Amino acid sequence: MLEVKRLHTHYGRAEILSDVSFEVGAGEVAALLGRNGAGKSTTLKSIMRLVRPTSGEVVFDERPIGRLRPYEICRLGLGYVPEERRIFTSLTVGENLAVARRVNREGATVWTLERIFELFPNLAEMREKSARAMSGGEQQMLTVARTLMGSPRAILLDEPSEGLAPVIVEQMARTLKELKDEGVTILLSEQNLHFAGLVADRAIIIEKGRIRYQGKMQEALEDERIRAAYLMV
Amino acid sequence: MSFYFAQFLTGLASASSLFLVASGLSIIFGVTRIVNFAHGSFYMLGAFIAYSLVTALPHGPLGFWGGVIISALVVGVIGVVMEILVLRRIYQSPELFQLVATFGVVLLIKDVALWVWGPEDKLGPRAPGFDGAVDIFGSKVPEYDLVVIVLGLVVLAALWLLFNRTRWGALVRAATEDREMLGALGINQALLFTSVFFLGSVLAGLGGALQIPRASVSHHMDLAIIATAFVVVVVGGMGSIVGAFLASVIISELNAFGILVFPEITLVLMFLVMVVVLVIRPWGILGKPEGEAAGEVLEGETLSIMPGRRMRLALLGAFALLLVLPSVVEPFYLLLLSEVFVFALFAASLHFIMGNGGMVSFGHAAYFGLGAYGAAMLLIYGDTGMELAIALAPLAAGLGALIFGYFCVRLSGVYMAMLSLAFAQIVWSVAFQSTELTGGEDGLVGVWPSPWASDRIVYYYLTLVLCAGGILALWRMLYAPFGYTLRAGRDSPLRVEAIGVNLRQHRWFAFVIAGLFAGLAGGLYGFLHGIVEPQAVDIPRSIDALMMVLIGGVQTLIGPLAGAFAFVFLENRLLAFEFWRAIFGLIIIGICVAMPLGIVGSLHRLALRAAAARAS
Ligand SMILES: Nc1ncnc2c1ncn2[C@@H]1O[C@H](COP(=O)(O)OP(=O)(O)OP(=O)(O)O)[C@@H](O)[C@H]1O
Ligand SMILES: [Mg+2]
């Protein structure tokens, strides 16, 4: 579904990603794991072309997307949920969802407002409320919901559990599992191993901009050496 | 009593048409962050096109309103063309480049209008069905004024609904906040910007078209309205439609009643309101505080590279060449070169605060003009002679900078730039309106150098030495602790304040220094042509300075000098053509599109690339 091939990305002179390659299969939930500053967000932004990679190629659904603009990539069915949430605070909750609405994409689940509200019941009550007045957890739900409004076949999720209370983290995990059951492919960046363990099938470990390990999520969690070398803070 | 009510209604009618123009400007700025100087030109085009259409179409309500609507739509399309052909190519450039490019469009449209409609003012027909006056409390009020008032309210309501009740409106508000995120959600930003430009330009065109029964259509409408529209947008709060409406009413009523009390200074009054509002509410009546968005007018690397040994030798060589030039070239070129020196100093003084302090001024001509008028008035009324007049010119400008700068340094980004524009317009209004003192539109004549300096060669040397000295002094300060602090304050204001620097005061000093040197340039300029006119301090003069700095290359030290040189010679070459403004405008647009780093900056980058290619 999503293939990342030999991606290199620089910020100025500094090489942040070097030779990053991995694949995410259709319907799979893959977790991109790594410490602070390892290059997780940069990888997701490079796929979305919110930052411009220096070289390398990204193929989404058999189509090279390395020449496209972010909005075109989104329209192909690849959604993006940023780490900083970036909800539109001058809009209401309903409007935040409305601006991202995009339908009739072949082979994708169509997310109507009703279905979104089924998945995120508390958003329904806040529909008319200003997005500025939401709590951090509610904002996180809104960013995921907003991206779903584009009816994506795959989504890039940047640290969805960051800064959330444990209950909300559990709720987020349940939501992601429901998405998976809908057939949505998910690439998620995480530091929270517990959360990643709940949802991911596969682990991709990045450190200092290089991929260090790829394998089953469960195996990565159980392997003390891997945990100690790349994941422990 | 009834008279005052009638006057109030007249004010409201003016407010309506002002609101149309200003709301368009505000919407465009809010979404695209572009300060669109061409907006006033769109207003003028709306009036001219409506004039042609309404006189050509069959007489009657259909012909009139049809003509008005079609001209608004045509202007909308022209706005879209500008967005697609010019601005879309330079969204990545620093915002000021976009502004300069739109000023190129101003020049272009000015000449196109002259070519199509001829130089005379046009008197439009009255609106059929609304050509009488109604009696309100015993005073006659033109029916058409009432129509315009209603239309203004209708447009206000329609815009409010559009922005708050439609998906497009939500998209526009979201784009104002975070364009990149909107792109990642699948929104084609280019298309959204184009639609915003269409709407904004339609509003400008409509504002112009609706004016034809009220006032004659003239070629001065463009810059006259743009200055007022800027005031409205800033006073109302950038991007706020309701704010633009409130500000339009305030400004227009102030004009309507101000003219009864102080007919000579109505123009000044408007800008004073802006100063007062911005001092109390730095983001306008209904504007929201904007963090970096408004502060980063000059994003990108703004280095000032200390000239290396080779560069210093080259500069020394150039100076030596200029010293021997009078024995080689024709006197005409000496006059032109003197002008280059004056503008080089003027541009360098702007660069001093802009490139190094991050303080953008849209009204730097204020200090140029204060210097020019100061010197001329000292000479004519004070009989001081040229020497003392030139020596005191910087003080006149410096005093102005001391007062204006006090307010300007309290703001940042576009708001600061706009406030500086307002101050320049105050100076311009005084120069233009107080005829007894300044000669009004005709200016002050007989500003000639003392006999010993009246020879062109002598005056050439005088300008060369004084301007080169001024520029060196400015550069010296840039590479002294004063300049380091200024640049540090530009790049990380908080850190500089944290080490105990009073940044605001430091910027204020820099502002005054820049004013002093701009004043010296202005003083010298007056004696160059023997006359000081309001043009010394009008909007184009301020934009000239901006263009010299930007086109030359704001990241470099000698950029402004190269810009001044290119600018003066180009303008001189082009003056031979009938439609020189159009050509000049096209060249400016071309440079903005092709060289986003300015001339010197682009050459510098080419040289770096060549060096890199050789190395590998
Ligand atoms: N805009 C930027 N300019 C320069 N360097 C950057 C920029 N953004 C990130 N970096 C650097 O790139 C590296 C990788 O950053 P990235 O945000 O991808 O890490 P991350 O794995 O997402 O970390 P975190 O878990 O903290 O979100 C870091 O060293 C960071 O300092
Ligand atoms: Mg990150």
Side-chain angles (χ1 to χ4, degrees), chain A residues 54-82:
Chain A
T54 333
S55 65
E57 181 56 278
V58 179
V59 178
F60 176 62
D61 219 12
E62 258 111 70
R63 263 191 75 160
I65 57 173
R67 297 257 163 279
L68 303 182
R69 310 250 218 100
Y71 83 91
E72 294 169 312
I73 295 175
C74 170
R75 288 181 181 189
L76 286 178
L78 185 57
Y80 169 68
V81 179

PDB file of all heavy atoms in Angstrom, chain A residues 54-82:
ATOM      1  N   THR A  54      15.292  15.223   0.054  1.00  0.00           N
ATOM      2  CA  THR A  54      16.376  15.516  -0.890  1.00  0.00           C
ATOM      3  C   THR A  54      16.395  14.468  -1.999  1.00  0.00           C
ATOM      4  O   THR A  54      16.644  14.783  -3.156  1.00  0.00           O
ATOM      5  CB  THR A  54      17.729  15.512  -0.166  1.00  0.00           C
ATOM      6  OG1 THR A  54      17.514  15.844   1.204  1.00  0.00           O
ATOM      7  CG2 THR A  54      18.680  16.500  -0.774  1.00  0.00           C
ATOM      8  N   SER A  55      16.164  13.215  -1.618  1.00  0.00           N
ATOM      9  CA  SER A  55      16.082  12.182  -2.646  1.00  0.00           C
ATOM     10  C   SER A  55      15.250  11.034  -2.105  1.00  0.00           C
ATOM     11  O   SER A  55      14.887  11.015  -0.924  1.00  0.00           O
ATOM     12  CB  SER A  55      17.479  11.693  -3.022  1.00  0.00           C
ATOM     13  OG  SER A  55      18.067  11.044  -1.916  1.00  0.00           O
ATOM     14  N   GLY A  56      14.957  10.084  -2.970  1.00  0.00           N
ATOM     15  CA  GLY A  56      14.136   8.949  -2.555  1.00  0.00           C
ATOM     16  C   GLY A  56      12.771   9.011  -3.202  1.00  0.00           C
ATOM     17  O   GLY A  56      12.428   9.996  -3.844  1.00  0.00           O
ATOM     18  N   GLU A  57      12.013   7.958  -3.016  1.00  0.00           N
ATOM     19  CA  GLU A  57      10.706   7.897  -3.659  1.00  0.00           C
ATOM     20  C   GLU A  57       9.690   7.323  -2.674  1.00  0.00           C
ATOM     21  O   GLU A  57      10.034   6.530  -1.792  1.00  0.00           O
ATOM     22  CB  GLU A  57      10.813   7.008  -4.909  1.00  0.00           C
ATOM     23  CG  GLU A  57       9.539   6.864  -5.715  1.00  0.00           C
ATOM     24  CD  GLU A  57       8.965   8.212  -6.171  1.00  0.00           C
ATOM     25  OE1 GLU A  57       8.282   8.865  -5.360  1.00  0.00           O
ATOM     26  OE2 GLU A  57       9.195   8.606  -7.334  1.00  0.00           O
ATOM     27  N   VAL A  58       8.455   7.796  -2.810  1.00  0.00           N
ATOM     28  CA  VAL A  58       7.371   7.232  -2.031  1.00  0.00           C
ATOM     29  C   VAL A  58       6.311   6.747  -3.010  1.00  0.00           C
ATOM     30  O   VAL A  58       5.952   7.471  -3.936  1.00  0.00           O
ATOM     31  CB  VAL A  58       6.757   8.280  -1.079  1.00  0.00           C
ATOM     32  CG1 VAL A  58       5.604   7.659  -0.296  1.00  0.00           C
ATOM     33  CG2 VAL A  58       7.804   8.829  -0.129  1.00  0.00           C
ATOM     34  N   VAL A  59       5.874   5.507  -2.822  1.00  0.00           N
ATOM     35  CA  VAL A  59       4.847   4.967  -3.705  1.00  0.00           C
ATOM     36  C   VAL A  59       3.617   4.673  -2.867  1.00  0.00           C
ATOM     37  O   VAL A  59       3.695   4.010  -1.836  1.00  0.00           O
ATOM     38  CB  VAL A  59       5.334   3.668  -4.387  1.00  0.00           C
ATOM     39  CG1 VAL A  59       4.229   3.086  -5.260  1.00  0.00           C
ATOM     40  CG2 VAL A  59       6.573   3.950  -5.219  1.00  0.00           C
ATOM     41  N   PHE A  60       2.497   5.225  -3.277  1.00  0.00           N
ATOM     42  CA  PHE A  60       1.250   4.983  -2.566  1.00  0.00           C
ATOM     43  C   PHE A  60       0.308   4.298  -3.535  1.00  0.00           C
ATOM     44  O   PHE A  60      -0.011   4.865  -4.585  1.00  0.00           O
ATOM     45  CB  PHE A  60       0.655   6.293  -2.057  1.00  0.00           C
ATOM     46  CG  PHE A  60      -0.678   6.133  -1.389  1.00  0.00           C
ATOM     47  CD1 PHE A  60      -0.798   5.365  -0.239  1.00  0.00           C
ATOM     48  CD2 PHE A  60      -1.811   6.742  -1.901  1.00  0.00           C
ATOM     49  CE1 PHE A  60      -2.020   5.205   0.378  1.00  0.00           C
ATOM     50  CE2 PHE A  60      -3.040   6.590  -1.282  1.00  0.00           C
ATOM     51  CZ  PHE A  60      -3.137   5.816  -0.139  1.00  0.00           C
ATOM     52  N   ASP A  61      -0.085   3.060  -3.187  1.00  0.00           N
ATOM     53  CA  ASP A  61      -1.040   2.363  -4.024  1.00  0.00           C
ATOM     54  C   ASP A  61      -0.532   2.254  -5.463  1.00  0.00           C
ATOM     55  O   ASP A  61      -1.229   2.599  -6.407  1.00  0.00           O
ATOM     56  CB  ASP A  61      -2.350   3.170  -4.025  1.00  0.00           C
ATOM     57  CG  ASP A  61      -3.542   2.246  -3.997  1.00  0.00           C
ATOM     58  OD1 ASP A  61      -3.326   1.057  -3.742  1.00  0.00           O
ATOM     59  OD2 ASP A  61      -4.661   2.729  -4.227  1.00  0.00           O
ATOM     60  N   GLU A  62       0.714   1.829  -5.576  1.00  0.00           N
ATOM     61  CA  GLU A  62       1.350   1.651  -6.881  1.00  0.00           C
ATOM     62  C   GLU A  62       1.604   2.942  -7.644  1.00  0.00           C
ATOM     63  O   GLU A  62       1.957   2.908  -8.814  1.00  0.00           O
ATOM     64  CB  GLU A  62       0.493   0.722  -7.774  1.00  0.00           C
ATOM     65  CG  GLU A  62       1.042  -0.688  -7.846  1.00  0.00           C
ATOM     66  CD  GLU A  62       0.148  -1.677  -7.142  1.00  0.00           C
ATOM     67  OE1 GLU A  62      -0.940  -1.927  -7.668  1.00  0.00           O
ATOM     68  OE2 GLU A  62       0.530  -2.154  -6.052  1.00  0.00           O
ATOM     69  N   ARG A  63       1.370   4.091  -6.997  1.00  0.00           N
ATOM     70  CA  ARG A  63       1.623   5.353  -7.704  1.00  0.00           C
ATOM     71  C   ARG A  63       2.740   6.109  -7.032  1.00  0.00           C
ATOM     72  O   ARG A  63       2.665   6.375  -5.832  1.00  0.00           O
ATOM     73  CB  ARG A  63       0.374   6.232  -7.646  1.00  0.00           C
ATOM     74  CG  ARG A  63      -0.482   6.143  -8.877  1.00  0.00           C
ATOM     75  CD  ARG A  63      -1.519   7.218  -8.826  1.00  0.00           C
ATOM     76  NE  ARG A  63      -0.950   8.527  -9.133  1.00  0.00           N
ATOM     77  CZ  ARG A  63      -1.684   9.549  -9.527  1.00  0.00           C
ATOM     78  NH1 ARG A  63      -2.975   9.426  -9.643  1.00  0.00           N
ATOM     79  NH2 ARG A  63      -1.112  10.699  -9.789  1.00  0.00           N
ATOM     80  N   PRO A  64       3.771   6.494  -7.776  1.00  0.00           N
ATOM     81  CA  PRO A  64       4.791   7.345  -7.168  1.00  0.00           C
ATOM     82  C   PRO A  64       4.173   8.698  -6.816  1.00  0.00           C
ATOM     83  O   PRO A  64       3.498   9.293  -7.657  1.00  0.00           O
ATOM     84  CB  PRO A  64       5.851   7.498  -8.259  1.00  0.00           C
ATOM     85  CG  PRO A  64       5.364   6.789  -9.452  1.00  0.00           C
ATOM     86  CD  PRO A  64       4.039   6.184  -9.174  1.00  0.00           C
ATOM     87  N   ILE A  65       4.367   9.156  -5.588  1.00  0.00           N
ATOM     88  CA  ILE A  65       3.746  10.432  -5.208  1.00  0.00           C
ATOM     89  C   ILE A  65       4.795  11.493  -4.916  1.00  0.00           C
ATOM     90  O   ILE A  65       4.484  12.563  -4.397  1.00  0.00           O
ATOM     91  CB  ILE A  65       2.812  10.265  -3.983  1.00  0.00           C
ATOM     92  CG1 ILE A  65       3.575   9.672  -2.812  1.00  0.00           C
ATOM     93  CG2 ILE A  65       1.621   9.414  -4.330  1.00  0.00           C
ATOM     94  CD1 ILE A  65       2.752   9.642  -1.536  1.00  0.00           C
ATOM     95  N   GLY A  66       6.037  11.202  -5.280  1.00  0.00           N
ATOM     96  CA  GLY A  66       7.128  12.122  -4.947  1.00  0.00           C
ATOM     97  C   GLY A  66       7.071  13.453  -5.661  1.00  0.00           C
ATOM     98  O   GLY A  66       7.764  14.384  -5.289  1.00  0.00           O
ATOM     99  N   ARG A  67       6.248  13.568  -6.706  1.00  0.00           N
ATOM    100  CA  ARG A  67       6.190  14.846  -7.412  1.00  0.00           C
ATOM    101  C   ARG A  67       4.926  15.624  -7.059  1.00  0.00           C
ATOM    102  O   ARG A  67       4.733  16.731  -7.545  1.00  0.00           O
ATOM    103  CB  ARG A  67       6.209  14.631  -8.922  1.00  0.00           C
ATOM    104  CG  ARG A  67       7.460  14.001  -9.446  1.00  0.00           C
ATOM    105  CD  ARG A  67       8.366  15.037 -10.108  1.00  0.00           C
ATOM    106  NE  ARG A  67       9.723  14.510 -10.259  1.00  0.00           N
ATOM    107  CZ  ARG A  67      10.615  14.498  -9.272  1.00  0.00           C
ATOM    108  NH1 ARG A  67      10.296  14.989  -8.080  1.00  0.00           N
ATOM    109  NH2 ARG A  67      11.826  14.018  -9.460  1.00  0.00           N
ATOM    110  N   LEU A  68       4.079  15.033  -6.259  1.00  0.00           N
ATOM    111  CA  LEU A  68       2.777  15.661  -6.004  1.00  0.00           C
ATOM    112  C   LEU A  68       2.841  16.652  -4.865  1.00  0.00           C
ATOM    113  O   LEU A  68       3.747  16.654  -4.047  1.00  0.00           O
ATOM    114  CB  LEU A  68       1.731  14.581  -5.689  1.00  0.00           C
ATOM    115  CG  LEU A  68       1.535  13.507  -6.757  1.00  0.00           C
ATOM    116  CD1 LEU A  68       0.431  12.545  -6.330  1.00  0.00           C
ATOM    117  CD2 LEU A  68       1.201  14.139  -8.090  1.00  0.00           C
ATOM    118  N   ARG A  69       1.834  17.499  -4.810  1.00  0.00           N
ATOM    119  CA  ARG A  69       1.709  18.432  -3.691  1.00  0.00           C
ATOM    120  C   ARG A  69       0.874  17.782  -2.602  1.00  0.00           C
ATOM    121  O   ARG A  69       0.100  16.864  -2.874  1.00  0.00           O
ATOM    122  CB  ARG A  69       1.000  19.695  -4.152  1.00  0.00           C
ATOM    123  CG  ARG A  69       1.622  20.210  -5.379  1.00  0.00           C
ATOM    124  CD  ARG A  69       2.360  21.476  -5.161  1.00  0.00           C
ATOM    125  NE  ARG A  69       2.112  22.275  -6.341  1.00  0.00           N
ATOM    126  CZ  ARG A  69       1.219  23.243  -6.387  1.00  0.00           C
ATOM    127  NH1 ARG A  69       0.564  23.586  -5.311  1.00  0.00           N
ATOM    128  NH2 ARG A  69       1.010  23.894  -7.477  1.00  0.00           N
ATOM    129  N   PRO A  70       0.993  18.308  -1.386  1.00  0.00           N
ATOM    130  CA  PRO A  70       0.263  17.681  -0.283  1.00  0.00           C
ATOM    131  C   PRO A  70      -1.225  17.493  -0.570  1.00  0.00           C
ATOM    132  O   PRO A  70      -1.791  16.440  -0.271  1.00  0.00           O
ATOM    133  CB  PRO A  70       0.483  18.668   0.874  1.00  0.00           C
ATOM    134  CG  PRO A  70       1.779  19.319   0.573  1.00  0.00           C
ATOM    135  CD  PRO A  70       1.871  19.389  -0.924  1.00  0.00           C
ATOM    136  N   TYR A  71      -1.857  18.510  -1.175  1.00  0.00           N
ATOM    137  CA  TYR A  71      -3.303  18.361  -1.367  1.00  0.00           C
ATOM    138  C   TYR A  71      -3.626  17.251  -2.367  1.00  0.00           C
ATOM    139  O   TYR A  71      -4.639  16.570  -2.249  1.00  0.00           O
ATOM    140  CB  TYR A  71      -3.935  19.704  -1.773  1.00  0.00           C
ATOM    141  CG  TYR A  71      -3.857  20.069  -3.232  1.00  0.00           C
ATOM    142  CD1 TYR A  71      -4.867  19.709  -4.112  1.00  0.00           C
ATOM    143  CD2 TYR A  71      -2.772  20.786  -3.730  1.00  0.00           C
ATOM    144  CE1 TYR A  71      -4.805  20.044  -5.444  1.00  0.00           C
ATOM    145  CE2 TYR A  71      -2.703  21.123  -5.058  1.00  0.00           C
ATOM    146  CZ  TYR A  71      -3.726  20.753  -5.921  1.00  0.00           C
ATOM    147  OH  TYR A  71      -3.656  21.085  -7.244  1.00  0.00           O
ATOM    148  N   GLU A  72      -2.716  17.058  -3.334  1.00  0.00           N
ATOM    149  CA  GLU A  72      -2.954  15.991  -4.306  1.00  0.00           C
ATOM    150  C   GLU A  72      -2.763  14.618  -3.656  1.00  0.00           C
ATOM    151  O   GLU A  72      -3.495  13.668  -3.933  1.00  0.00           O
ATOM    152  CB  GLU A  72      -2.006  16.144  -5.489  1.00  0.00           C
ATOM    153  CG  GLU A  72      -2.276  17.400  -6.300  1.00  0.00           C
ATOM    154  CD  GLU A  72      -1.172  17.702  -7.310  1.00  0.00           C
ATOM    155  OE1 GLU A  72       0.019  17.674  -6.929  1.00  0.00           O
ATOM    156  OE2 GLU A  72      -1.506  17.973  -8.471  1.00  0.00           O
ATOM    157  N   ILE A  73      -1.757  14.554  -2.780  1.00  0.00           N
ATOM    158  CA  ILE A  73      -1.518  13.293  -2.068  1.00  0.00           C
ATOM    159  C   ILE A  73      -2.726  12.951  -1.210  1.00  0.00           C
ATOM    160  O   ILE A  73      -3.199  11.814  -1.190  1.00  0.00           O
ATOM    161  CB  ILE A  73      -0.241  13.411  -1.215  1.00  0.00           C
ATOM    162  CG1 ILE A  73       0.964  13.592  -2.144  1.00  0.00           C
ATOM    163  CG2 ILE A  73      -0.068  12.184  -0.321  1.00  0.00           C
ATOM    164  CD1 ILE A  73       2.261  13.832  -1.425  1.00  0.00           C
ATOM    165  N   CYS A  74      -3.248  13.958  -0.540  1.00  0.00           N
ATOM    166  CA  CYS A  74      -4.432  13.733   0.291  1.00  0.00           C
ATOM    167  C   CYS A  74      -5.585  13.226  -0.553  1.00  0.00           C
ATOM    168  O   CYS A  74      -6.312  12.318  -0.175  1.00  0.00           O
ATOM    169  CB  CYS A  74      -4.818  15.027   1.001  1.00  0.00           C
ATOM    170  SG  CYS A  74      -6.404  14.958   1.819  1.00  0.00           S
ATOM    171  N   ARG A  75      -5.726  13.823  -1.740  1.00  0.00           N
ATOM    172  CA  ARG A  75      -6.856  13.431  -2.590  1.00  0.00           C
ATOM    173  C   ARG A  75      -6.717  12.014  -3.130  1.00  0.00           C
ATOM    174  O   ARG A  75      -7.701  11.417  -3.553  1.00  0.00           O
ATOM    175  CB  ARG A  75      -6.996  14.423  -3.745  1.00  0.00           C
ATOM    176  CG  ARG A  75      -7.519  15.754  -3.261  1.00  0.00           C
ATOM    177  CD  ARG A  75      -7.681  16.727  -4.389  1.00  0.00           C
ATOM    178  NE  ARG A  75      -8.154  17.998  -3.859  1.00  0.00           N
ATOM    179  CZ  ARG A  75      -8.560  19.006  -4.622  1.00  0.00           C
ATOM    180  NH1 ARG A  75      -8.560  18.865  -5.929  1.00  0.00           N
ATOM    181  NH2 ARG A  75      -8.957  20.132  -4.068  1.00  0.00           N
ATOM    182  N   LEU A  76      -5.477  11.498  -3.148  1.00  0.00           N
ATOM    183  CA  LEU A  76      -5.315  10.109  -3.561  1.00  0.00           C
ATOM    184  C   LEU A  76      -5.794   9.153  -2.477  1.00  0.00           C
ATOM    185  O   LEU A  76      -5.941   7.956  -2.710  1.00  0.00           O
ATOM    186  CB  LEU A  76      -3.852   9.815  -3.869  1.00  0.00           C
ATOM    187  CG  LEU A  76      -3.318  10.392  -5.177  1.00  0.00           C
ATOM    188  CD1 LEU A  76      -1.846  10.066  -5.313  1.00  0.00           C
ATOM    189  CD2 LEU A  76      -4.101   9.841  -6.352  1.00  0.00           C
ATOM    190  N   GLY A  77      -5.994   9.681  -1.271  1.00  0.00           N
ATOM    191  CA  GLY A  77      -6.514   8.816  -0.217  1.00  0.00           C
ATOM    192  C   GLY A  77      -5.540   8.600   0.930  1.00  0.00           C
ATOM    193  O   GLY A  77      -5.685   7.648   1.694  1.00  0.00           O
ATOM    194  N   LEU A  78      -4.539   9.474   1.025  1.00  0.00           N
ATOM    195  CA  LEU A  78      -3.597   9.350   2.133  1.00  0.00           C
ATOM    196  C   LEU A  78      -3.838  10.520   3.099  1.00  0.00           C
ATOM    197  O   LEU A  78      -3.599  11.674   2.758  1.00  0.00           O
ATOM    198  CB  LEU A  78      -2.159   9.376   1.604  1.00  0.00           C
ATOM    199  CG  LEU A  78      -1.046   9.141   2.612  1.00  0.00           C
ATOM    200  CD1 LEU A  78      -1.230   7.807   3.312  1.00  0.00           C
ATOM    201  CD2 LEU A  78       0.314   9.162   1.911  1.00  0.00           C
ATOM    202  N   GLY A  79      -4.338  10.199   4.285  1.00  0.00           N
ATOM    203  CA  GLY A  79      -4.633  11.247   5.251  1.00  0.00           C
ATOM    204  C   GLY A  79      -3.464  11.483   6.190  1.00  0.00           C
ATOM    205  O   GLY A  79      -2.606  10.615   6.343  1.00  0.00           O
ATOM    206  N   TYR A  80      -3.432  12.649   6.834  1.00  0.00           N
ATOM    207  CA  TYR A  80      -2.312  12.985   7.713  1.00  0.00           C
ATOM    208  C   TYR A  80      -2.843  13.650   8.970  1.00  0.00           C
ATOM    209  O   TYR A  80      -3.651  14.584   8.896  1.00  0.00           O
ATOM    210  CB  TYR A  80      -1.353  13.912   6.968  1.00  0.00           C
ATOM    211  CG  TYR A  80      -0.284  14.558   7.826  1.00  0.00           C
ATOM    212  CD1 TYR A  80       0.736  13.791   8.388  1.00  0.00           C
ATOM    213  CD2 TYR A  80      -0.293  15.936   8.056  1.00  0.00           C
ATOM    214  CE1 TYR A  80       1.723  14.388   9.161  1.00  0.00           C
ATOM    215  CE2 TYR A  80       0.696  16.539   8.825  1.00  0.00           C
ATOM    216  CZ  TYR A  80       1.701  15.754   9.377  1.00  0.00           C
ATOM    217  OH  TYR A  80       2.677  16.339  10.135  1.00  0.00           O
ATOM    218  N   VAL A  81      -2.396  13.160  10.106  1.00  0.00           N
ATOM    219  CA  VAL A  81      -2.775  13.763  11.386  1.00  0.00           C
ATOM    220  C   VAL A  81      -1.497  14.279  12.039  1.00  0.00           C
ATOM    221  O   VAL A  81      -0.641  13.488  12.436  1.00  0.00           O
ATOM    222  CB  VAL A  81      -3.448  12.734  12.317  1.00  0.00           C
ATOM    223  CG1 VAL A  81      -3.812  13.381  13.642  1.00  0.00           C
ATOM    224  CG2 VAL A  81      -4.686  12.160  11.663  1.00  0.00           C
ATOM    225  N   PRO A  82      -1.339  15.587  12.132  1.00  0.00           N
ATOM    226  CA  PRO A  82      -0.067  16.134  12.611  1.00  0.00           C
ATOM    227  C   PRO A  82       0.108  15.983  14.115  1.00  0.00           C
ATOM    228  O   PRO A  82      -0.866  15.878  14.862  1.00  0.00           O
ATOM    229  CB  PRO A  82      -0.144  17.607  12.224  1.00  0.00           C
ATOM    230  CG  PRO A  82      -1.596  17.905  12.219  1.00  0.00           C
ATOM    231  CD  PRO A  82      -2.290  16.646  11.790  1.00  0.00           C
TER     232      PRO A  82
END
